[in-house]
């Protein structure tokens, strides 16, 4: 059987096509699953991504990066490999990469979720012989509520603060999560302010057809009144002096990690909203079974429990080795 993919120091490599998927280092051709910085790194000679990822990647990588894109589902030939990209439901433009060589098919999931999300394309199940899955939240304790339930929680918290004239700071990752929150909250409660890191991506989401509220950038204009406001900022500014201007604001974090109460307390948030752009335990299992894959490799997370569970139900599963550590693996 041909080797479809192999794990190398830089990441997953397709020998038949001569390309890497979401690599580190410097490679000739990087196929990128989505525009988050731990998947889309600078420095490669050329990039291939989905059409909707391209403008996001452009912001990340700058004008000089050589980026080509294809629509979801279009099959292209790279060397001796047939490659197509399919929606992963993680953030706008995010894709799974389907690689076919000599009639064998592997799919690399990138980050994904099956939950509904009005700000990106819905996840698509792809039948395959082998599936490389992420495992960020691969424990049974991670079980997401429907996103509309989480929006009700966020709106209640914001309204309660606004009625007492206390600003509400909601921390959310600047690409994907922040836009998802902006699109989902009740904009009648009060003004919405965003951090600079969130704003460059908004026009791209609007172009995709996502209905965004009117927002103001923090610090833009001298007469901003934050007392009834919702302030959306990335968690990286959590301890920065920038937040002093909001006085005794209430602070919350929107993340799948907020399912762990201890973490919320340790990080001193008033509130944690369990809203994730990754699949929960059940979502991972549903997808893996639905692909029909006979072989599953687990990356990006803590995959021991998932691996053990899959083996118990008769699927050949293990944690993907390589990436500069341990032995290199060949996926056939
Ligand atoms: Zn991601």
């Amino acid at each position: 059987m041909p080797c479809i993919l192999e794990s190398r120091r830089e990441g997953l490599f397709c020998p038949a096509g001569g390309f890497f998927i979401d690599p580190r280092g410097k490679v000739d051709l990087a196929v990128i699953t989505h525009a988050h910085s731990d998947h889309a790194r600078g420095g490669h000679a050329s990039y291939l991504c989905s059409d909707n990822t391209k403008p996001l990647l452009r912001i990340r990588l700058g004008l000089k990066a050589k980026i080509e894109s294809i629509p979801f589902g279009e099959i292209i030939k790279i060397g001796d490999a047939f490659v197509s990209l399919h929606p992963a439901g993680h953030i706008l433009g995010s894709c799974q990469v389907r690689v076919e060589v000599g009639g064998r098919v592997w799919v690399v999931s990138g980050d994904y979720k099956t939950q509904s999300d009005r700000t990106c394309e819905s996840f698509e199940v792809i039948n395959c012989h082998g599936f490389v899955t992420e495992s960020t939240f691969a424990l049974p304790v991670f079980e997401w509520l429907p996103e509309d339930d989480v929006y009700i929680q966020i709106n209640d918290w914001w309204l309660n603060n606004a009625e007492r004239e206390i600003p509400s700071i909601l921390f959310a990752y600047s690409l994907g999560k922040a836009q998802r929150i902006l699109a989902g909250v009740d904009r009648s409660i009060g003004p919405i302010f965003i951090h600079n890191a969130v704003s460059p991506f908004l026009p791209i989401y609007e172009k995709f057809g996502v209905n965004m509220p009117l927002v103001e950038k923090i610090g833009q204009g001298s007469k901003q009144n934050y007392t009834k406001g919702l302030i959306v900022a990335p968690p990286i500014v959590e301890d920065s002096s920038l937040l002093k201007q909001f006085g005794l604001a209430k602070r919350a974090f929107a993340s799948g990690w907020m399912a762990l109460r201890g973490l919320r307390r340790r990080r001193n948030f008033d509130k944690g909203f369990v809203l994730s752009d990754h699949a929960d335990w059940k979502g991972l299992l549903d997808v893996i079974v639905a692909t029909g894959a006979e072989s599953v490799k687990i990356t990006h997370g803590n995959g021991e429990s998932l691996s053990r569970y899959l083996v118990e139900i008769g699927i050949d599963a293990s944690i993907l080795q390589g990436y500069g550590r341990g032995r290199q693996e060949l996926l056939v």
Side-chain angles (χ1 to χ4, degrees):
M1 275 194 286
C3 165
I4 319 281
L5 295 166
E6 59 183 62
S7 58
R8 289 191 176 181
R9 191 164 41 88
E10 299 90 338
L12 271 177
F13 178 66
C14 173
F19 61 86
F20 284 85
I21 299 173
D22 291 350
R24 304 162 196 279
K26 280 186 166 57
V27 308
D28 287 340
L29 176 56
V31 177
I32 299 296
T33 59
H34 64 289
H36 278 154
S37 54
D38 55 337
H39 292 255
R41 300 174 179 91
H44 304 305
S46 64
Y47 295 82
L48 176 70
C49 63
S50 75
D51 284 346
N52 284 335
T53 291
K54 189 175 179 182
L56 301 169
L57 208 54
R58 183 61 72 200
I59 291 173
R60 280 257 187 261
L61 303 177
L63 286 175
K64 285 190 179 148
K66 195 174 156 219
I67 306 171
E68 292 202 21
S69 70
I70 52 174
F72 285 129
E74 183 176 304
I75 300 167
I76 59 167
K77 197 162 184 238
I78 307 177
D80 290 325
F82 293 96
V83 177
S84 54
L85 310 178
H86 303 267
H90 173 57
I91 62 167
L92 179 60
S94 64
C95 72
Q96 310 167 72
V97 183
R98 181 187 186 277
V99 183
E100 181 176 344
V101 179
R104 297 279 300 173
V105 176
W106 273 80
V107 170
V108 178
S109 76
D111 291 343
Y112 67 96
K113 74 170 177 299
T114 52
Q115 212 187 17
S116 73
D117 176 349
R118 70 198 78 189
T119 64
C120 69
E121 311 86 347
S122 298
F123 182 88
E124 183 187 329
V125 173
I126 310 295
N127 287 315
C128 52
H129 298 101
F131 187 54
V132 179
T133 181
E134 65 130 323
S135 58
T136 308
F137 292 107
L139 286 171
V141 66
F142 296 111
E143 188 184 359
W144 311 145
L145 287 173
E147 67 166 355
D148 284 342
D149 291 9
V150 182
Y151 287 132
I152 290 170
Q153 294 174 0
I154 295 173
N155 290 332
D156 284 351
W157 170 76
W158 178 19
L159 180 63
N160 194 272
N161 296 336
E163 282 173 349
R164 293 181 293 149
E165 307 220 319
I166 300 171
S168 304
I169 306 177
L170 182 50
F171 296 106
Y173 293 112
S174 56
L175 171 57
K177 188 67 63 62
Q179 290 75 23
R180 197 175 169 198
I181 285 167
L182 291 172
V185 291
D186 178 356
R187 46 196 83 172
S188 72
I189 294 174
I192 299 176
F193 303 93
I194 56 170
H195 185 269
N196 269 339
V198 173
S199 63
F201 305 116
L202 291 196
I204 298 164
Y205 274 75
E206 282 173 326
K207 209 169 162 196
F208 174 68
V210 179
N211 181 353
M212 286 290 176
L214 270 180
V215 295
E216 279 182 60
K217 279 199 232 173
I218 298 168
Q220 202 178 51
S222 54
K223 286 189 182 156
Q224 285 182 333
N225 182 350
Y226 300 114
T227 50
K228 291 183 190 303
L230 177 70
I231 298 132
V232 178
I236 199 164
V237 300
E238 193 190 324
D239 296 317
S240 82
S241 57
L242 178 93
L243 301 185
K244 286 204 181 101
Q245 61 189 304
F246 305 119
L248 292 171
K250 293 288 182 188
R251 299 149 65 97
F253 187 25
S255 164
W257 295 112
M258 290 296 97
L260 305 175
R261 281 203 194 96
L263 195 73
R264 188 174 81 216
R265 246 178 278 126
R266 265 205 308 285
R267 293 194 47 188
N268 222 358
F269 295 117
D270 298 299
K271 197 90 180 156
F273 298 110
V274 184
L275 186 69
S276 179
D277 291 336
H278 296 266
D280 61 5
W281 171 254
K282 187 174 178 303
L284 291 166
L285 294 179
D286 287 350
V287 165
I288 290 166
V289 170
T291 63
E294 58 208 31
S295 179
V296 174
K297 292 291 174 187
I298 301 167
T299 62
H300 279 107
N302 195 349
E304 273 101 18
S305 301
L306 181 60
S307 168
R308 230 177 296 127
Y309 184 88
L310 292 173
V311 169
E312 268 172 32
I313 62 169
I315 295 173
D316 173 23
S318 60
I319 294 170
L320 181 67
Q321 306 294 315
Y323 294 150
R325 296 184 301 276
R327 67 193 165 85
Q328 189 186 12
E329 269 203 275
L330 304 179
L331 311 185
V332 296

